[in-house]
Amino acid sequence: TISGPTTRTVGQFGSYTVSATDNPGGSGIDSASYVWSTPGLPSQSGSPTASFAFSTTGPHTITVTFKNADASNPVFISDGPGATSANGT
């Protein structure tokens, strides 16, 4: 899941954190593989936390992807209006 502020003013930064764990007996999460993205802003990578500020009002979707430590099964988690989550094993 992604945690962080759900409302902010235009230009105000919000910090977001992903809570990610591998399945029991899995290889773990590759901490260097985190990539955060949102349309119209530069991606951020290498951390389970990212900070974004939006220049427009309205709904925005933030997505984070990462891999298992064995470099397989990429995981995609999105948070925003109508967003869904999908995660690998």
Side-chain angles (χ1 to χ4, degrees):
T1 59
I2 296 174
S3 60
T6 57
T7 59
R8 292 178 324 285
T9 58
V10 170
Q12 179 184 13
F13 278 89
S15 183
Y16 299 89
T17 302
V18 65
S19 175
T21 58
D22 200 358
N23 291 330
S27 59
I29 302 297
D30 177 1
S31 60
S33 73
Y34 289 105
V35 178
W36 292 84
S37 61
T38 189
L41 293 174
S43 295
Q44 299 177 34
S45 60
S47 174
T49 301
S51 184
F52 293 102
F54 297 99
S55 60
T56 60
T57 60
H60 298 278
T61 299
I62 297 171
T63 301
V64 60
T65 62
F66 52 91
K67 295 181 180 178
N68 289 345
D70 66 4
S72 66
N73 299 326
V75 179
F76 308 94
I77 300 175
S78 293
D79 195 16
T84 59
S85 297
N87 51 343
T89 56

